[in-house]
């Protein structure tokens, strides 16, 4: 009896994988001990928390969404989603009240990092873990960690929203769920995606991407502290930067003048930044897109996110306004052709397999929506960014707008870059942005990048022909 037949006999649901799930399954097999594709939500809770209501709320979310009851099995050389009809989810409770105040915070963050770094086995459900850390009688941290194969960033928003509504109802003694039943589940999307890929729409979008990504796709070689290893690891770290409220508003205004969004403006500046850092005119950047093009998918937890490859030619020393115009057009075209799974694109293009870098692009740019404000009677909740000490790419700049401007998270591979190098990158990007809003019509080569001290260092030391290569602090400009 095959695994599929066996599980059908046990009344579980069997379904093919989506294309995103197929790629994530492949990555799991390639690096089973990697936590690079863990995603997590950390919520600080202040106030009198009803533990039973919270646990009941989490179990209702697990009951509502098949993704949280899904595991993956191989049968007859094919991978299948296996959805268990019922599953009881348990939250791990850790009481830290016996520690001093400083020790509590330190231990809590250690436990958060430890949980974020623990890999999942996709053959074992649930691919969700929960911890409730108790720092005081009315102070908690709720940490939820999920495997990306069953969830994505949008899904975290759904999870937090549903938990909030359910907890509010259950803590007030309500017996039934206040949420309307879901009419669509993730396996319905996976089936739709496979049907869609069998139609003419696939060929139309594939033709666009093949034309956009034709020819030689250069590997972006950022000046680094160490050479690229033969096989890359997922070990990473994060540096943070803050773009002030005034700079953020100026970037928005500049974009509006040219019919561009804030993301398009950040993208154009990132392309300029990378060209100045590498001297390479052909710049390819990856960016995630929600992938929820059908209204029915907006309230489903699952892995819908797709990756777009944004390519622009910055040769000929263009003005920033020209770079922005091209970035806008590229983004609009990519958005119109977003349904083609990145996994299918890689398969069709068949780039040379190389374990030292990711295919098609090596850097990513992300603009996250603002974190939602969470309000519950008697409780103060705040969602916190979690650093899981991994890196999927050489470098990823991700931004989130908060009340005081844009907070930037610069994720990088520690095998290639030192923290000081990435911190300096962040400073250079900020300086570039300030120069752009001051004079957006100036040429790429004249956009400010270095501080006065760095320019002096460049003139005196980096022009010394006796200096051995490589020197990551001697930039192209």
């Amino acid at each position: 009896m095959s695994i599929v037949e066996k599980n059908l006999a046990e009344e579980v649901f069997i379904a093919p994988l989506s294309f995103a799930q197929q790629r994530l399954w492949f990555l799991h097999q390639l690096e089973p001990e990697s936590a690079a594709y863990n995603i997590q939500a950390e919520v600080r809770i202040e106030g009198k928390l009803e533990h039973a209501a919270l646990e009941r709320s989490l179990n209702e979310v697990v009951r509502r969404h098949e993704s949280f009851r899904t595991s993956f099995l191989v049968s007859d050389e094919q991978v299948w989603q296996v959805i268990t009809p019922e599953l009881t989810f348990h939250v791990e409770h850790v009481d830290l009240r016996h520690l001093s105040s400083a020790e509590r915070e330190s231990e809590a963050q250690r436990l958060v990092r430890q949980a974020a770094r623990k890999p999942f086995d996709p053959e074992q459900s649930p691919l969700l873990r929960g911890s409730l850390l108790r720092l005081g009688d009315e102070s908690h941290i709720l940490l939820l960690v999920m495997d990306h194969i069953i969830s994505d960033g949008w899904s975290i928003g759904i999870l937090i929203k549903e938990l909030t509504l359910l907890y509010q109802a259950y803590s007030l003694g309500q017996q039934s769920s206040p949420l309307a039943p879901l009419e669509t589940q993730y396996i319905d999307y996976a089936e739709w995606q496979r049907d869609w890929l069998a139609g003419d729409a696939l060929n139309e979008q594939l033709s666009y991407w093949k034309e956009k990504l034709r020819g030689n796709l250069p590997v972006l070689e950022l000046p680094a502290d160490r050479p690229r290893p033969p096989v890359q690891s997922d070990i990473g770290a994060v540096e943070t930067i803050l773009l002030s409220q005034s700079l953020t508003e100026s970037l928005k205004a500049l974009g509006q003048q040219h019919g561009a969004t804030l993301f398009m403006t950040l993208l154009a500046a990132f392309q300029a930044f990378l060209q100045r850092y590498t001297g390479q005119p052909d710049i390819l950047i990856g960016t995630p897109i929600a992938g929820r093009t059908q209204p029915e998918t907006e309230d489903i937890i699952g892995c819908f996110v797709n990756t777009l490859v944004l390519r622009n030619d910055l040769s000929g020393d263009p003005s920033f306004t020209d770079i922005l115009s091209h970035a806008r057009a590229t983004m609009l075209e990519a958005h119109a052709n977003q349904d083609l799974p990145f996994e299918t694109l890689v398969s069709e293009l068949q780039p040379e397999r190389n374990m030292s870098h990711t295919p098609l692009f090596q850097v990513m740019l992300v603009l996250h929506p603002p974190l939602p404000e969470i309000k519950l009677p008697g409780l103060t909740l705040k969602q916190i960014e979690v650093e899981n000490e991994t890196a999927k790419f050489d470098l990823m700049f991700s931004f989130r707008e908060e009340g005081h401007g844009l907070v930037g998270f610069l994720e990088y591979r520690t095998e290639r870059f030192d923290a000081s190098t990435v911190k300096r990158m962040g400073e250079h990007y900020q300086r570039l942005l300030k120069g752009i809003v001051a004079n957006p019509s100036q040429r790429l080569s004249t956009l400010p990048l270095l501080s006065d001290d760095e320019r002096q260092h460049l003139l005196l030391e980096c022009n010394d022909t006796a200096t051995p290569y490589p020197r990551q602090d001697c930039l192209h400009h």
Side-chain angles (χ1 to χ4, degrees):
M1 180 182 292
S2 72
I3 291 176
V4 172
E5 292 170 336
K6 176 178 180 292
N7 281 283
L8 285 173
E10 295 174 354
E11 298 183 349
V12 300
F13 298 103
I14 304 293
L17 277 61
S18 70
F19 288 90
Q21 287 179 323
Q22 277 188 338
R23 178 166 177 78
L24 288 163
W25 170 267
F26 169 77
L27 292 171
H28 265 296
Q29 307 314 301
L30 199 63
E31 297 182 89
E33 298 304 314
S34 173
Y37 290 91
N38 285 4
I39 58 176
Q40 50 275 323
E42 178 185 348
V43 182
R44 291 263 178 166
I45 306 172
E46 302 294 336
K48 188 176 181 181
L49 179 65
E50 299 287 344
H51 291 202
L54 175 63
E55 193 128 358
R56 184 183 173 195
S57 301
L58 283 165
N59 273 280
E60 175 59 17
V61 174
V62 169
R63 187 200 65 79
R64 282 171 56 78
H65 295 276
E66 290 179 352
S67 293
F68 286 141
R69 293 180 276 111
T70 298
S71 59
F72 298 83
L73 292 177
V74 179
S75 178
D76 302 325
E77 299 183 350
Q78 184 173 347
V79 188
W80 301 88
Q81 297 187 68
V82 181
I83 299 101
T84 304
E86 295 183 2
L87 188 152
T88 301
F89 180 68
H90 296 287
V91 178
E92 180 185 12
H93 291 255
V94 182
D95 195 338
L96 303 176
R97 287 177 293 176
H98 62 284
L99 301 175
S100 69
S101 179
E103 289 174 328
R104 268 180 247 155
E105 286 294 333
S106 176
E107 178 64 6
Q109 290 311 305
R110 188 192 69 80
L111 291 171
V112 166
R113 289 192 299 270
Q114 182 183 69
R117 283 288 297 167
K118 184 180 179 181
F120 284 94
D121 177 358
E123 297 188 16
Q124 301 294 323
S125 65
L127 299 177
L128 165 73
R129 292 192 297 265
S131 302
L132 186 66
L133 312 181
R134 189 164 193 173
L135 281 70
D137 292 343
E138 297 189 354
S139 180
H140 298 77
I141 294 176
L142 174 64
L143 177 67
L144 299 170
V145 185
M146 294 151 276
D147 193 311
H148 193 13
I149 202 168
I150 58 129
S151 187
D152 57 17
W154 184 296
S155 297
I156 289 178
I158 297 171
L159 173 60
I160 297 298
K161 176 185 174 183
E162 292 193 354
L163 271 181
T164 302
L165 293 172
L166 289 164
Y167 177 86
Q168 184 171 7
Y170 294 154
S171 63
L172 294 174
Q174 187 171 323
Q175 295 303 308
S176 59
S177 168
L179 302 176
L182 292 171
E183 297 182 1
T184 305
Q185 292 285 347
Y186 187 78
I187 58 172
D188 300 313
Y189 162 76
E191 181 180 358
W192 168 86
Q193 188 185 51
R194 290 184 173 277
D195 290 342
W196 178 87
L197 282 172
D200 294 336
L202 167 66
N203 294 326
E204 293 178 10
Q205 295 201 15
L206 186 57
S207 295
Y208 165 79
W209 287 109
K210 281 186 172 181
E211 174 62 25
K212 190 70 177 178
L213 301 177
R214 63 184 172 87
N216 178 51
L217 300 181
V219 175
L220 190 70
E221 295 296 353
L222 289 161
D225 299 289
R226 288 165 290 281
R228 192 184 295 280
V231 178
Q232 63 187 354
S233 79
D234 69 345
I235 301 173
V238 175
E239 288 290 319
T240 59
I241 60 173
L242 175 63
L243 307 185
S244 68
Q245 184 70 39
S246 61
L247 177 56
T248 302
E249 294 303 323
S250 295
L251 291 168
K252 288 181 180 179
L254 173 61
Q256 289 171 357
Q257 292 170 15
H258 296 272
T261 62
L262 175 60
F263 175 79
M264 294 172 184
T265 308
L266 292 171
L267 171 64
F270 196 41
Q271 291 169 338
F273 167 83
L274 293 172
Q275 193 283 328
R276 290 286 300 277
Y277 247 71
T278 64
Q280 298 175 227
D282 192 359
I283 302 295
L284 291 94
I285 297 171
T287 194
I289 194 164
R292 297 172 186 254
T293 54
Q294 290 77 39
E296 297 84 359
T297 63
E298 292 181 359
D299 296 324
I300 303 172
I301 289 174
C303 183
F304 293 89
V305 67
N306 197 14
T307 302
L308 303 179
V309 186
L310 308 176
R311 185 183 195 182
N312 270 341
D313 182 0
L314 276 69
S315 60
D317 198 20
S319 67
F320 179 76
T321 52
D322 285 338
I323 299 171
L324 178 57
S325 176
H326 288 299
R328 177 184 181 275
T330 298
M331 189 64 211
L332 290 174
E333 289 174 3
H335 194 274
N337 293 277
Q338 66 170 294
D339 292 313
L340 183 73
F342 178 75
E343 300 73 29
T344 303
L345 178 61
V346 172
S347 177
E348 290 287 339
L349 293 177
Q350 293 188 333
E352 180 183 353
R353 293 280 183 182
N354 194 319
M355 297 296 289
S356 70
H357 60 77
T358 50
L360 306 190
F361 64 90
Q362 293 75 50
V363 297
M364 179 170 270
L365 179 68
V366 186
L367 178 60
H368 297 289
L371 291 173
E373 187 177 358
I374 312 169
K375 291 185 177 180
L376 283 172
L379 292 178
T380 302
L381 295 90
K382 184 179 181 181
Q383 193 173 339
I384 307 295
E385 298 281 354
V386 180
E387 298 177 13
N388 65 358
E389 300 175 334
T390 63
K392 304 178 187 69
F393 307 98
D394 287 352
L395 186 66
M396 179 169 70
F397 277 26
S398 60
F399 293 91
R400 190 185 300 278
E401 190 167 3
E402 298 187 357
H404 47 276
L406 281 169
V407 178
F409 303 90
L410 282 52
E411 181 182 284
Y412 62 96
R413 293 192 192 278
T414 54
E415 65 189 2
R416 297 212 66 206
F417 302 102
D418 291 334
S420 58
T421 299
V422 177
K423 182 179 180 181
R424 187 160 55 247
M425 285 183 181
E427 293 169 352
H428 290 162
Y429 186 62
Q430 289 186 76
R431 191 170 291 112
L432 189 78
L433 291 172
K434 291 175 181 177
I436 286 168
V437 298
N439 181 9
S441 62
Q442 62 186 305
R443 296 287 176 181
L444 172 62
S445 61
T446 63
L447 288 170
L449 199 69
L450 307 178
S451 66
D452 292 339
D453 289 345
E454 286 173 322
R455 278 194 294 271
Q456 185 70 10
H457 165 76
L458 188 71
L459 288 170
L460 294 179
E461 296 186 32
C462 292
N463 287 332
D464 180 359
T465 56
T467 301
Y469 182 84
R471 286 294 301 275
Q472 57 82 21
D473 51 346
C474 299
L475 305 175
H476 295 84
H477 49 233

